[in-house]
Amino acid sequence: MQKVKLKLILAALPRIMTVAKRINPAFRSHLEKSGGIIQVRLKDNSVARHYIFREGRILTAAGIHPQPDVDIAFHDAGIALRFLKPNAKRSDIIHFIKNYLVEMKGDDRVAVWFSGLVNVMQSGNWKQGVAMKDGTHRFVTNTNGGPLFVHVKDGR
């Protein structure tokens, strides 16, 4: 049952990305900056799908691609489902990578671009900062010493 679920998720991913491309300018911009062939599969190759990103377009097909730029292999379907779910636990992701339950091989540039694409897809519509009465936006970050506020007006 987990393999069927994984196949459905992998098949739906391009449709989700197409919607994100329409409604999320940051996603569309990132998508158009680069491209490559990304393959996602189980280590035993029982489930595999590849995605071709070219000139802002997304093509996909089931099965193994002969020369992907990046190959992402999961130990099993359960690991893949936990890794790919929205808001996956960071501790799970680190555990899977440290213990070779997920392996990513190939062109580092394409891998970083694709990771960024997935990140923008999940967070691209988030609003950051708080509008202040004086026309600035206040942003905050946490440091060891407590919160740090930055006020920005006209990009400065």
Side-chain angles (χ1 to χ4, degrees):
M1 187 63 176
Q2 287 184 326
K3 286 184 181 183
V4 171
K5 197 176 199 181
L6 178 60
K7 284 181 184 182
L8 290 171
I9 289 169
L10 295 178
L13 187 60
R15 291 179 182 92
I16 295 166
M17 288 183 167
T18 299
V19 170
K21 181 179 163 182
R22 279 192 231 128
I23 65 173
N24 184 338
F27 180 84
R28 183 172 44 256
S29 174
H30 193 88
L31 179 65
E32 293 170 353
K33 283 182 184 173
S34 191
I37 301 169
I38 309 295
Q39 179 167 268
V40 180
R41 64 182 178 86
L42 295 182
K43 286 185 180 179
D44 67 2
N45 292 335
S46 62
V47 175
R49 180 166 281 276
H50 58 273
Y51 308 91
I52 302 170
F53 297 92
R54 187 178 301 131
E55 298 172 358
R57 293 184 355 194
I58 307 163
L59 305 171
T60 186
I64 300 291
H65 190 279
Q67 291 185 314
D69 294 308
V70 176
D71 178 53
I72 303 169
F74 294 97
H75 180 71
D76 60 42
I79 300 286
L81 291 172
R82 287 174 58 193
F83 191 94
L84 296 172
K85 76 178 182 178
N87 300 320
K89 288 183 180 179
R90 295 279 183 202
S91 59
D92 285 348
I93 291 172
I94 291 167
H95 171 77
F96 298 152
I97 293 169
K98 283 175 59 175
N99 292 288
Y100 301 99
L101 300 173
V102 178
E103 295 181 24
M104 184 182 289
K105 296 179 182 175
D107 185 330
D108 289 343
R109 182 190 57 80
V110 177
V112 169
W113 170 81
F114 181 69
S115 297
L117 184 69
V118 171
N119 187 43
V120 170
M121 183 173 67
Q122 293 178 342
S123 64
N125 283 334
W126 289 354
K127 302 293 183 220
Q128 297 179 348
V130 175
M132 306 302 287
K133 290 181 182 179
D134 64 357
T136 63
H137 268 74
R138 183 181 72 181
F139 298 90
V140 65
T141 186
N142 270 331
T143 68
N144 288 343
L148 173 68
F149 296 99
V150 176
H151 294 261
V152 178
K153 184 171 186 174
D154 299 328
R156 304 177 113 199

